[in-house]
Amino acid sequence: MKFRVEENETIEMCLNRMKEQGYTPVKRFEKPVFIEKKNGDIEVLRQEIQFVGKK
């Protein structure tokens, strides 16, 4: 099962949520979320972090 770190959540809070549901993290994925500005420049808005959990 996949768990995403929400915008107003810390990594520790996400890991605790996984633990409460009986999952242990086995993989971590990070991918950048980009935003395009009006002048055509591309900027990194934030990092999206996702964990894969195993029962």
Side-chain angles (χ1 to χ4, degrees):
M1 179 164 207
K2 293 183 181 179
F3 294 85
R4 181 177 19 210
V5 178
E6 302 298 331
E7 283 193 38
N8 295 324
E9 184 179 42
T10 64
I11 293 172
E12 186 176 345
M13 291 166 70
C14 180
L15 292 173
N16 286 336
R17 184 167 39 100
M18 288 177 70
K19 188 177 181 181
E20 288 172 3
Q21 295 180 24
Y23 287 90
T24 303
V26 292
K27 286 186 183 178
R28 173 181 169 159
F29 295 99
E30 289 188 41
K31 74 176 185 180
V33 176
F34 296 101
I35 187 170
E36 187 172 351
K37 300 227 175 186
K38 288 185 179 181
N39 63 1
D41 289 344
I42 297 176
E43 187 177 291
V44 176
L45 180 63
R46 60 184 169 86
Q47 285 288 106
E48 184 178 288
I49 302 171
Q50 214 175 50
F51 291 98
V52 175
K54 186 176 183 182
K55 278 253 183 197

